Amino acid sequence: EPEVTQTPSHQVTQMGQEVILRCVPISNHLYFYWYRQILGQKVEFLVSFYNNEISEKSEIFDDQFSVERPDGSNFTLKIRSTKLEDSAMYFCASNQRTGTHYGYTFGSGTRLTVV
Amino acid sequence: SQQGEEDPQALSIQEGENATMNCSYKTSINNLQWYRQNSGRGLVHLILIRSNEREKHSGRLRVTLDTSKKSSSLLITASRAADTASYFCATDYVQGAQKLVFGQGTRLTINP
């Protein structure tokens, strides 16, 4: 079964540092997403990406965040200057198309710890 | 507004029993999806039910959807220890689309 792959599985970074979280979506999927889950809380939408541009973003996704699909296979989330409150599990997801029929495939996540 | 609120927040049952989790939401949806998350791991898609469907089955899973009450239930029959996980409903709603809104989840524990 095709998978969404995320790397690294765990990253520890110092406050103020930049981090890049990487994802390889399923190859024939067209829509890509980042979600995050702070420990013990619900999964929250960050951003959706289609046709090489952001299609929707949440209030969480401020100027410190950016996404990119640099080479047609990887999908990255960059946090420019990390804060303690950015510590969370970050999930990448993809689906073939939006609408009524399609579930999302999630990666296994990157646990980001900001110290 | 909040979507996808599950209840109960935690459920503990004996192996072999059935587990029922409920989810309520507030706005019109395209579909409602259920996901499982083992502790500290990724989200696994279990089942999707469209807004024009009322019931759906997949193996030991049965999902119902009542759009008039804006609620859904997930039933796991003949539970196993391996079913221990958190279960989330997520709504893919009509306006604004292209994102899932998750509830807080139900933490299910199956006791051997």
Side-chain angles (χ1 to χ4, degrees), chain A residues 4-113:
Chain A
V4 172
T5 306
Q6 287 187 246
T7 54
S9 57
H10 190 184
Q11 179 150 3
V12 181
T13 189
Q14 295 230 323
M15 194 168 55
Q17 295 295 304
E18 174 183 287
V19 293
I20 297 176
L21 309 183
R22 291 184 166 77
C23 168
V24 179
I26 293 173
S27 59
N28 65 343
H29 283 188
L30 302 175
Y31 296 83
F32 314 113
Y33 311 83
W34 284 100
Y35 289 77
R36 80 169 185 192
Q37 185 182 33
I38 295 171
L39 186 64
Q41 298 187 23
K42 62 171 73 175
V43 178
E44 302 172 290
F45 168 79
L46 291 179
V47 65
S48 59
F49 191 86
Y50 169 70
N51 201 24
N52 283 322
E53 60 183 26
I54 290 173
S55 44
E56 191 163 352
K57 60 183 180 179
S58 71
E59 291 175 355
I60 303 166
F61 194 88
D62 62 22
D63 292 344
Q64 292 299 311
F65 291 88
S66 62
V67 288
E68 201 175 38
R69 194 143 190 261
D71 57 11
S73 62
N74 290 286
F75 179 52
T76 61
L77 174 70
K78 182 193 290 186
I79 310 174
R80 284 190 188 80
S81 177
T82 49
K83 309 185 202 74
L84 294 176
E85 54 265 37
D86 293 327
S87 294
M89 191 79 135
Y90 287 80
F91 293 106
C92 174
S94 67
N95 62 359
Q96 203 166 19
R97 55 179 295 182
T98 57
T100 58
H101 304 288
Y102 297 90
Y104 294 58
T105 304
F106 281 80
S108 54
T110 293
R111 182 171 298 284
L112 177 66
T113 304

Side-chain angles (χ1 to χ4, degrees), chain B residues 37-52:
Chain B
Q37 183 182 37
N38 289 76
S39 183
R41 306 293 296 275
L43 295 157
V44 175
H45 179 257
L46 295 175
I47 196 164
L48 178 154
I49 187 165
R50 300 197 294 265
S51 59
N52 62 350

Side-chain angles (χ1 to χ4, degrees), chain B residues 14-86:
Chain B
Q14 294 299 120
E15 197 166 20
E17 293 180 340
N18 295 341
T20 300
M21 290 159 271
N22 302 296
C23 168
S24 61
Y25 59 92
K26 289 191 162 72
T27 63
S28 297
I29 60 172
N30 284 323
N31 62 64
L32 186 144
Q33 304 174 33
W34 284 90
Y35 288 83
R36 183 184 73 223
Q37 183 182 37
N38 289 76
S39 183
R41 306 293 296 275
L43 295 157
V44 175
H45 179 257
L46 295 175
I47 196 164
L48 178 154
I49 187 165
R50 300 197 294 265
S51 59
N52 62 350
E53 296 176 315
R54 293 296 164 258
E55 189 171 310
K56 202 159 181 180
H57 297 254
S58 176
R60 293 184 295 114
L61 305 180
R62 174 178 163 247
V63 169
T64 62
L65 180 65
D66 186 335
T67 52
S68 66
K69 294 181 180 174
K70 291 188 168 58
S71 67
S72 173
S73 68
L74 171 68
L75 168 68
I76 303 174
T77 60
S79 62
R80 304 168 183 166
D83 295 329
T84 294
S86 291

